[in-house]
Amino acid sequence: MDSLASIGCQHEADIRLDEAALHLAAADRPKADLRPDIAWLESLAARLPKGLVSAPQRAAALVSLLAEAEGFAGDSEDYDAPRNADLISVLARRRGLPISLAIVYVGIARRAGWDARVLALPGHVLVAVEGETSVTLIDVFAGGRLVEPQELPGLATMLARGQPLRPGDAALLTNRETLVRLVMNQASRARQAGDIPRALTLYRRLTLVAPAMPALWWERARLEQLSGDTAAARRSLAAMRETTRDPALSNRIRQAYEALAR
């Protein structure tokens, strides 16, 4: 089975976030050998201190390893470059977007047996590292700066294990949502640049890794229509219809499907 389709079939908890992001990057490199990158990630995790149980200790250890020792930081000079959302390039350059750097931090923390999640904010992401009784936030784009909850609206209250923050403030992303956000960075920039073929390629990958997200199928169908492939657009709408039980959305899909048939 194709590696991306395999990710789409996995249960949420079974997705290895960093490896999945590497497979997404390898989709542009058919002959890429990911074993050296995965082995390096494993070796980085092995360098983390053993026995740390508090969130501040774990977060400090991650920052010491990744930001200070290995030099991972945000690419503020060429922020929109596609390579910043490509995990193979991010590992090679130690530079990336907030979302790609967050995947590195979270992936290595989990390889060490620690709980860590990507925390979504409007236009930004942080890493939430969990300990036995608390959570510490890291701004990975800013060289691993530790963020106090009081700095962000709605974060003054305790961040409960595995639960989202107050609606409208922020949300802990699932593995699949994190991968979608990573690829959406590239897809939206391709779309804005008028590169419809590239945007469509990326949306096809998105529907492979996250086949149950209706919005991805809708945008894929729209891009296929713009490309002149009406049959493909109709197939995408049909697939989208299988992802929802919302009558209003189903009716919208039906109308779009019928419009394409005229």
Side-chain angles (χ1 to χ4, degrees):
M1 181 184 292
D2 177 89
S3 60
L4 301 188
S6 178
I7 294 168
C9 292
Q10 286 181 293
H11 292 295
E12 171 64 29
D14 294 333
I15 296 174
R16 276 219 160 188
L17 186 58
D18 49 9
E19 287 190 26
L22 283 170
H23 281 291
L24 280 164
D28 287 322
R29 306 169 177 84
K31 297 183 180 180
D33 182 359
L34 298 180
R35 288 174 297 181
D37 285 321
I38 293 170
W40 188 52
L41 291 171
E42 289 281 6
S43 70
L44 287 173
R47 288 164 56 187
L48 289 170
K50 304 296 187 292
L52 301 183
V53 296
S54 77
Q57 288 176 328
R58 290 176 173 181
L62 280 169
V63 171
S64 176
L65 172 66
L66 296 177
E68 297 169 8
E70 293 295 332
F72 280 93
D75 188 350
S76 55
E77 295 182 0
D78 198 13
Y79 187 91
D80 289 333
R83 63 187 180 182
N84 285 327
D86 179 306
L87 203 67
I88 294 175
S89 294
V90 170
L91 292 181
R93 300 175 57 245
R94 274 94 157 164
R95 292 292 182 272
L97 294 171
I99 188 66
S100 55
L101 294 172
I103 289 171
V104 175
Y105 272 70
V106 168
I108 289 174
R110 290 176 178 174
R111 288 176 185 276
W114 300 348
D115 291 324
R117 300 275 293 279
V118 180
L119 181 67
L121 303 167
H124 197 45
V125 298
L126 303 175
V127 167
V129 181
E130 300 184 41
E132 289 187 335
T133 60
S134 65
V135 172
T136 298
L137 304 176
I138 308 173
D139 188 341
V140 294
F141 191 79
R145 185 177 74 87
L146 300 185
V147 178
E148 294 296 328
Q150 298 91 312
E151 296 179 48
L152 301 169
L155 288 182
T157 55
M158 176 65 72
L159 178 63
R161 177 180 295 271
Q163 295 179 341
L165 299 173
R166 204 168 58 189
D169 293 331
L172 291 169
L173 298 180
T174 66
N175 292 325
R176 213 176 299 280
E177 288 168 343
T178 301
L179 295 172
V180 169
R181 184 153 176 163
L182 174 70
V183 179
M184 285 284 286
N185 274 282
Q186 301 177 65
S188 60
R189 287 175 175 82
R191 183 73 178 88
Q192 291 165 8
D195 190 348
I196 301 301
R198 177 60 177 171
L200 179 53
T201 293
L202 293 170
Y203 267 97
R204 284 174 174 158
R205 292 173 189 171
L206 284 169
T207 53
L208 284 173
V209 300
M213 293 187 182
L216 301 178
W217 287 104
W218 184 266
E219 184 61 20
R220 171 174 167 171
R222 195 163 71 92
L223 291 168
E224 286 166 339
Q225 182 183 12
L226 288 172
S227 300
D229 193 344
T230 302
R234 295 181 71 197
R235 288 194 296 271
S236 292
L237 289 172
M240 180 184 177
R241 188 163 47 200
E242 299 299 318
T243 69
T244 182
R245 295 183 180 179
D246 181 347
L249 182 55
S250 294
N251 186 54
R252 184 183 176 196
I253 296 168
R254 180 184 57 78
Q255 292 174 347
Y257 188 91
E258 291 174 352
L260 287 173
R262 293 171 190 157

